[in-house]
Amino acid sequence: MKKIVIWGCGGHAREINHLCENSSHDVIGFLDERSEMKGKIIDDVPVLGDLHDIYSLRDKIKIVCAGVGDPSLKKRFVTKTIHEGFEISDTIVHPSVFISKKNTLGVGSIICEGTIITTNVRIGNFVIINRSSNISHDNVITDYVTVGPGVNIAGNVTIGEGAYIGIGSSIREKIIIGAWSVIGGGAFVKNDVPGKTLYAGVPAKFKKDLN
């Protein structure tokens, strides 16, 4: 099994390291574009620098690009990693999470402990589903989405590319969340959300455009 290197070295990357410790993946380092971070030790794991600092490891490792919660930053790390010829990590699922054969998972995603995923759920590439989220039947969660801790998503919901679903929010059934939109923490979404907008509150209301 190839070793794992994680993009980022902040709180979410450290949580992925914790997940890897619980699922038999061997993490050998973090990546960070900031030159001043190279050589630092975080949670007993070294920051190796940027991709150009680890070319000698290119055939020996897989890269976790979902080490940051920001969907646009995730996408940039994916593009950069593939362009430089590194291999993308498989989806990493905490061992406590049951994944039915009726569900489909893309590559490079992260599914944390306490998550419940029921039936006929499609999860795309480079998705983050944080701790104790509840993902109901027939949901579609597309590429680069980040789902915060404790989110509840009812059935037949579609979440567009790069959307960010804030901590503790809830989405009622048959809702469409537009691409690159943001749902504020603790919100209750009862109507469709257009792309590139911020919605927050109970019930969730339009706050601003994100273009």
Side-chain angles (χ1 to χ4, degrees), residues 4-10 13-14 17 27-51 53-54 57:
I4 295 292
V5 175
I6 301 170
W7 262 116
C9 58
R14 292 165 53 222
N17 180 51
V27 175
I28 63 167
F30 296 120
L31 291 173
D32 198 295
E33 294 177 320
R34 297 169 293 178
S35 59
E36 67 271 19
M37 295 302 296
K38 183 180 177 181
K40 292 185 180 294
I41 304 296
I42 299 176
D43 285 1
D44 300 322
V45 177
V47 179
L48 303 176
D50 206 335
L51 288 176
D53 295 304
I54 59 169
L57 300 175

Side-chain angles (χ1 to χ4, degrees), residues 10 33 61 78 88 112 115 126 153 169 171 196 204 209-211:
E33 294 177 320
I61 62 172
V78 169
I88 297 295
C112 297
T115 295
F126 311 107
I153 304 175
S169 56
I171 303 173
K196 295 184 178 180
D209 286 314
L210 299 175
N211 288 313

